[in-house]
Amino acid sequence: MSTVWMFSGQGAQKPGMGAGVPADPAAAEVYACASDHFGFDVARVSQEAAQEELNETKVAQGCMVALSVGLARALEARGHEPAAVLGFSLGQVSALAVSGMLGLDDAMRFAAFRAEAMSRAAQANPGAMCALLGADEESAAVLCAACAQDDVLVPANFNCPGQIVVSGSVAAIERAEEAWKAQKKRCSRLATSGAFHSPLMQQAADELSAWLADVEFAEARIPLIDNGTARPLAAAEAKERLAAHLTHPVRFEQSVRYLAEQGADTFVEVGFGGVLSGLVRRTDKTWGRPVVASLDDVESYEG
């Protein structure tokens, strides 16, 4: 193993992202399929929508999944293939399509239903997410215990050394921000519409579990590293793991380290934003971390 493709998560979306990608023949099918299932013109919205519209859960997820899978299809059409795939939160949906565990149509149906379920849960149980800079697993757990005060507040994303995201009710997040800043440490509120990867998403997890009952998963053609376990995902456990994914933390740093132990030394971010590339750099600066975010990047990619 040497090269891993990583797929971006929600929050990295920006107006005009994915320049040229919807016009590529291999990617055009992906955008058309996403538009059919999400109910809007994903290619047009990706290119023309304002940031406020792009931040809506369903819009953001449709655009980000279409871009990541479209870029991957464009790379594959030019003879490239990774040794493994890894998504970050929403990016795990893109990884399902690229790994072969779901066909394109089923992957987009899944993505659209997941986005709607998450949006409903976020409206029913409002929440927020905040990145703690300078945090480790112990300090994040201590902060959550101290600031929850009978509200929900949990570690949600283990991003890289010194960066952990917490998720919970708005009031609990505000208390955590104040407490973290009181320790002379920095934090940053994320541009999400809910408390993802926390118990506040249980409604969505239950809906998704029921919906997945009739979905058939194939064994991965390209190994897919699961966000929750930081280990390869098997078809037999996919339904349980994908539902639990909504209420459990994303173990991105642990996943990257596992892949490195298996021989990976290049982590390519296939999607927009460069966020994952930055997390890899903070984990180990010796690993390659190119970003493929546009059609020009696809054309210049050397694998």
Side-chain angles (χ1 to χ4, degrees), residues 264-284:
D265 57 14
T266 302
F267 295 82
V268 185
E269 183 167 358
V270 180
F272 189 79
V275 173
L276 304 187
S277 177
L279 299 182
V280 169
R281 179 181 63 80
R282 294 182 181 94
T283 304
D284 191 318

Side-chain angles (χ1 to χ4, degrees), residues 85-151:
V85 292
L86 170 64
F88 185 97
S89 189
L90 170 66
Q92 185 155 275
V93 180
S94 303
L96 288 169
V98 178
S99 71
M101 294 191 77
L102 287 179
L104 178 61
D105 191 66
D106 281 343
M108 290 302 174
R109 282 200 309 118
F110 171 64
F113 183 86
R114 181 181 181 275
E116 291 170 352
M118 291 176 71
S119 182
R120 286 191 291 270
Q123 291 174 4
N125 300 286
M129 303 178 76
C130 178
L132 306 177
L133 306 182
D136 57 24
E137 194 161 347
E138 181 179 359
S139 62
V142 168
L143 183 77
C144 288
C147 298
Q149 298 181 13
D150 296 325
D151 286 331

Side-chain angles (χ1 to χ4, degrees), residues 94-290:
S94 303
L96 288 169
V98 178
S99 71
M101 294 191 77
L102 287 179
L104 178 61
D105 191 66
D106 281 343
M108 290 302 174
R109 282 200 309 118
F110 171 64
F113 183 86
R114 181 181 181 275
E116 291 170 352
M118 291 176 71
S119 182
R120 286 191 291 270
Q123 291 174 4
N125 300 286
M129 303 178 76
C130 178
L132 306 177
L133 306 182
D136 57 24
E137 194 161 347
E138 181 179 359
S139 62
V142 168
L143 183 77
C144 288
C147 298
Q149 298 181 13
D150 296 325
D151 286 331
V152 170
L153 184 64
V154 296
N157 300 340
F158 295 92
N159 289 347
C160 64
Q163 187 182 126
I164 294 176
V165 172
V166 293
S167 181
S169 70
V170 174
I173 288 291
E174 289 173 348
R175 289 192 294 269
E177 290 170 335
E178 291 176 5
W180 198 247
K181 291 174 182 176
Q183 299 178 43
K184 307 300 182 184
K185 296 179 180 179
R186 293 183 297 134
C187 58
S188 177
R189 187 76 66 95
L190 303 190
T192 62
S193 59
F196 303 144
H197 304 292
S198 85
L200 291 177
M201 287 289 111
Q202 188 61 54
Q203 172 185 318
D206 292 342
E207 289 183 20
L208 194 62
S209 181
W211 188 87
L212 286 168
D214 297 325
V215 177
E216 294 297 325
F217 290 86
E219 292 297 345
R221 179 178 61 84
I222 301 169
L224 186 161
I225 306 305
D226 173 55
N227 277 179
T229 62
R231 293 294 184 272
L233 182 64
E237 62 184 6
K239 295 178 183 181
E240 178 183 356
R241 292 305 318 159
L242 291 169
H245 187 226
L246 299 185
T247 56
H248 288 69
V250 172
R251 300 188 180 278
F252 184 76
E253 178 188 347
Q254 296 89 333
S255 299
V256 169
R257 292 192 183 279
Y258 168 78
L259 286 162
E261 290 171 359
Q262 307 309 306
D265 57 14
T266 302
F267 295 82
V268 185
E269 183 167 358
V270 180
F272 189 79
V275 173
L276 304 187
S277 177
L279 299 182
V280 169
R281 179 181 63 80
R282 294 182 181 94
T283 304
D284 191 318
K285 294 181 180 179
T286 68
W287 297 331
R289 48 187 189 278

